[in-house]
Amino acid sequence: MGALASAALLFPLLSSGPAATAEEPPDPRALQRAFAAAAERYGVPERVLLAVSYLQSRWDGHGGAPSVSGGYGPMHLTDLRSALAGAQHHADADEDARGDESRPVRVAAEPAGLPEPAELPARLRTLERAAALSGLSPDELRTSAAANIQGGAALLAAAQRESGRPPSADPADWFGAVARFSGADDTATATTYANDVFDVLRTGERRTTDSGQTVELAPAPEVTPDPAQAAALGLRTADRGPSECPPTVACEWIPAPYEEFGDGDYGNHDKADRPVSQKIEYIVVHDTEATWDVTLRLVQDPAYVSWQYSLRSSDGHIAQHLPLKDVGWHAGNWYVNAKSVGLEHEGFLTAPDSWYTEAMYRTSARLVRYLAARYDIPLDRQHVLGHDNVPGTTAATIRGMHTDPGPYWDWAHYFRLLGRPFTPSAGPDAGVVTIRPQYAAHQPVYTGCAKAGEACAPHGSGAVRLHTAPSDAAPLVKDVGLRPGGQDSTTGVNDTGARASTGQQYAVAERRGDWTAIWYLGQKAWFRNPVERPTAVNARGLLLTPRAGLAEVPVYGRAYPEAAAYPAGVPVQSVSPLPYKLLAGQRYVVGDRTPGEYYFAPTFDTTGHRVVRGQEEYYEIQFGHRVAFVKAADVRVFAG
């Protein structure tokens, strides 16, 4: 009864119900006081409660909407009813995940159904337990930030009791409870989660939440918990096997199958010898469009497709499925597949409020830093790609390419965690801009999340929309690859035809007042970029343009060798231009220069596999929302 009364006192301050008035402005410190009240009631050190909540949600409430694993509110209390969701993105559209014309098209079949709610693990049902411990109703725990924090504190206090340790005012005594709170079922993941919480606690944090609340956790560098507390919880030991992960994450080996079916077909990846055979140049970020358990079931299906790593939302746990030397079928472009590592994050593109947890962002960033250092991959947006940045291989495949992780993935925060924040590197007259809207405040309208043409829930976005003129009323720019008939692009959440994403760099075509134009898909594209609230920062970089005497040059979705480079027994792969043109006078930001390469691997028997390299060289460019390639002989490169 006391818990109900305490939550009721805070509820009017933090719920999304009452609108603020000029006479009664919202109290920006109410959330901070809610943490203090919950900590006092349940005997949990306030620092611990704040640090746990930060790792769960960065103290955001997300308007009462659930995360990708069904977690609600600042404490990410999980409710099984929202954990069951959606279709699997590798099974939709017509994308061949291999993207190699030398083999039959591999479009994955629909997977088996989702598990029943009762089959879900306890980590997806913490809201139920919080309700029982606190006396608060499930609805309160979902909709009231103050109640949600009370529920989280109750769970932490129970975890401390279950760990066999008495209540304590010393945060260091709560390492085991925090590890148990994670919901992880293995010691390594629980320990990694608790280490992250205590890293936040030691370094401190301060931010303004999505509801305008200011929350602060003062640094406490002197706190030194004993990780052995997690080891005493009696959790399972995950099989690391031959997994390739940094020591700062919890990694488990769950291998994808390499099996023959008959009739020359096999799955679900290719054997290789990277980086000896080919350099690994890209990291591709995906979202799973499936829950964790379904994701693992799919990647272990030999008739399905494959990727190197999966990352769990609730605690950041990582599963590796392929040796990094082997090639996964994940990007829909064989050239990119052969030279990339694929990371699948538990999530749903078209559910904007199905947010990604801080725990998953952090472990993903540590994994990417490890891969970048191991393979000398630059940490920029021409090498760390979203699946939605991978180009179609030919004109016919453009419309089938996937669009995850979509406009709601927070690239700015991700790159801060990578240690490469997007900052200005040039003055106001720079010839290059890096897209960087303020994620939380930047909320363009998207449509089609739940129903075609229907507006999606308002949410922060890292993408800007591109118009044909410096006006919000001007039509969006066209993408002739997506719409050969010449129709305008749309505001659809899966329509990448008029979208530039955080971290992507483009050559400036013109500046006019609050608007900036860039060269994009062979045309001038305008986005709103006011001085008082900029959506891009100025930068320097190498640019290219058609060499003298050429009115236009073709653009490609892969950098394949010239016909003369193919040895006997290896079919020549077509070098097919995409339906775009790079026109004289236009400029695009340059990425790598690379010789044409093709990995010939059409059979289960690896004896005949070959890497073909040509003399023809290509430049990668940021051409539209997706990257593209042009022949080096066709262009001139200069500093921008």
Side-chain angles (χ1 to χ4, degrees):
M1 189 68 181
L4 283 168
S6 178
L9 290 173
L10 290 165
F11 183 83
L13 295 173
L14 299 176
S15 72
S16 58
T21 65
E23 294 76 25
E24 296 180 302
D27 182 353
R29 303 291 289 181
L31 192 61
Q32 185 90 51
R33 290 201 303 278
F35 279 108
E40 181 178 3
R41 173 166 184 81
Y42 288 98
V44 179
E46 185 178 351
R47 290 180 185 278
V48 172
L49 189 60
L50 283 163
V52 167
S53 177
Y54 186 88
L55 195 67
Q56 296 289 76
S57 67
R58 298 175 71 214
W59 303 321
D60 285 338
H62 294 273
S67 75
V68 298
S69 50
Y72 287 88
M75 296 303 299
H76 193 250
L77 304 180
T78 54
D79 182 345
L80 63 88
R81 285 175 294 180
S82 62
L84 302 177
Q88 291 69 45
H89 86 280
H90 285 298
D92 65 19
D94 299 313
E95 184 194 68
D96 173 8
R98 289 189 298 207
D100 180 9
E101 294 167 7
S102 74
R103 293 178 281 190
V105 171
R106 168 60 66 85
V107 177
E110 287 290 339
L114 294 163
E116 293 298 320
E119 298 172 354
L120 291 170
R123 64 183 173 81
L124 296 179
R125 295 182 281 122
T126 62
L127 190 138
E128 293 178 6
R129 186 150 191 256
L133 289 168
S134 68
L136 297 167
S137 72
D139 187 60
E140 284 179 288
L141 293 170
R142 282 191 294 267
T143 59
S144 163
N148 188 273
I149 294 166
Q150 293 267 350
L155 286 173
L156 273 168
Q160 181 76 342
R161 292 192 299 272
E162 291 158 3
S163 300
R165 304 182 69 87
S168 171
D170 183 358
D173 292 335
W174 288 75
F175 190 92
V178 170
R180 185 180 290 276
F181 182 91
S182 72
D185 66 350
D186 71 279
T187 300
T189 303
T191 301
T192 299
Y193 178 92
N195 280 333
D196 277 350
V197 167
F198 277 85
D199 182 60
V200 171
L201 191 150
R202 283 189 291 268
T203 58
E205 290 288 350
R206 176 187 172 89
R207 70 183 296 264
T208 300
T209 72
D210 59 358
S211 60
Q213 293 284 307
T214 300
V215 183
E216 182 174 7
L217 171 61
E222 73 283 358
V223 176
T224 54
D226 180 6
Q229 293 178 31
L233 296 177
L235 304 176
R236 72 181 177 96
T237 299
D239 179 11
R240 287 187 66 94
S243 62
E244 300 156 284
C245 292
T248 53
V249 303
C251 204
E252 185 171 10
W253 179 248
I254 302 177
Y258 189 64
E259 297 179 12
E260 273 190 295
F261 306 149
D263 298 324
D265 201 3
Y266 66 96
N268 59 12
H269 59 281
D270 279 297
K271 298 293 185 183
D273 189 24
R274 307 183 307 174
V276 175
S277 57
Q278 284 186 284
K279 184 180 178 183
I280 296 175
E281 295 183 344
Y282 305 106
I283 297 167
V284 182
V285 172
H286 304 254
D287 73 55
T288 62
E289 298 298 317
T291 59
W292 178 254
D293 294 336
V294 170
T295 297
L296 296 187
R297 188 163 71 243
L298 293 173
V299 79
Q300 294 177 88
D301 181 350
Y304 202 60
V305 295
S306 59
W307 50 92
Q308 277 77 15
Y309 298 95
S310 297
L311 291 96
R312 190 162 65 198
S313 174
S314 60
D315 52 20
H317 179 66
I318 298 173
Q320 184 175 352
H321 312 297
L322 305 177
L324 290 170
K325 67 182 184 64
D326 292 342
V327 176
W329 302 344
H330 60 92
N333 181 317
W334 183 242
Y335 177 82
V336 174
N337 277 340
K339 298 169 74 66
S340 71
V341 175
L343 277 61
E344 288 279 1
H345 299 77
E346 187 180 13
F348 302 94
L349 183 161
T350 60
D353 281 320
S354 288
W355 41 280
Y356 302 98
T357 64
E358 180 69 0
M360 185 166 68
Y361 272 128
R362 287 190 173 217
T363 55
S364 179
R366 288 202 291 272
L367 177 59
V368 168
R369 287 201 306 270
Y370 162 80
L371 294 170
R374 179 170 174 174
Y375 296 112
D376 195 26
I377 302 171
L379 288 172
D380 60 39
R381 291 286 278 112
Q382 286 189 314
H383 295 86
V384 182
L385 305 173
H387 194 176
D388 53 350
N389 307 135
V390 175
T393 53
T394 64
T397 65
I398 292 173
R399 281 170 285 177
M401 295 301 288
H402 278 234
T403 58
D404 59 296
Y408 303 119
W409 179 264
D410 193 345
W411 287 108
H413 180 56
Y414 195 51
F415 269 76
R416 283 194 294 273
L417 293 173
L418 289 173
R420 294 290 191 276
F422 303 122
T423 56
S425 59
D429 298 324
V432 175
V433 290
T434 304
I435 304 299
R436 196 199 66 181
Q438 294 300 315
Y439 179 87
H442 181 68
Q443 299 189 1
V445 174
Y446 292 101
T447 57
C449 288
K451 185 178 179 182
E454 187 175 285
C456 302
H459 197 275
S461 171
V464 299
R465 192 158 285 143
L466 301 170
H467 296 263
T468 56
S471 167
D472 290 319
L476 299 177
V477 296
K478 301 178 190 297
D479 184 333
V480 297
L482 283 175
R483 295 179 176 82
Q487 302 96 327
D488 292 338
S489 298
T490 72
T491 59
V493 70
N494 287 302
D495 189 342
T496 61
R499 185 184 298 171
S501 183
T502 291
Q504 292 181 322
Q505 292 189 316
Y506 298 89
V508 175
E510 188 177 346
R511 298 179 192 266
R512 196 182 303 176
D514 286 346
W515 290 79
T516 299
I518 56 176
W519 293 113
Y520 183 95
L521 293 179
Q523 62 202 302
K524 191 180 287 188
W526 293 87
F527 66 97
R528 184 178 284 280
N529 186 25
V531 173
E532 68 278 4
R533 183 179 276 187
T535 54
V537 296
N538 294 310
R540 302 185 189 280
L542 290 179
L543 302 174
L544 58 70
T545 194
R547 65 176 173 81
L550 292 180
E552 61 184 39
V553 301
V555 177
Y556 303 92
R558 54 194 176 185
Y560 273 178
E562 67 279 9
Y566 290 83
V570 178
V572 174
Q573 301 299 301
S574 62
V575 181
S576 304
L578 301 177
Y580 308 110
K581 300 293 183 183
L582 196 165
L583 304 177
Q586 296 183 359
R587 304 177 300 279
Y588 293 88
V589 173
V590 176
D592 289 336
R593 179 169 176 150
T594 181
E597 286 188 358
Y598 172 63
Y599 181 39
F600 179 65
T603 60
F604 184 78
D605 180 1
T606 62
T607 304
H609 292 190
R610 297 283 298 273
V611 175
V612 181
R613 289 189 179 86
Q615 298 298 312
E616 185 85 70
E617 293 192 319
Y618 294 80
Y619 284 110
E620 178 195 352
I621 60 172
Q622 186 64 63
F623 188 61
H625 185 70
R626 301 181 188 271
V627 299
F629 300 92
V630 293
K631 292 182 178 179
D634 289 340
V635 298
R636 174 177 64 88
V637 177
F638 58 97

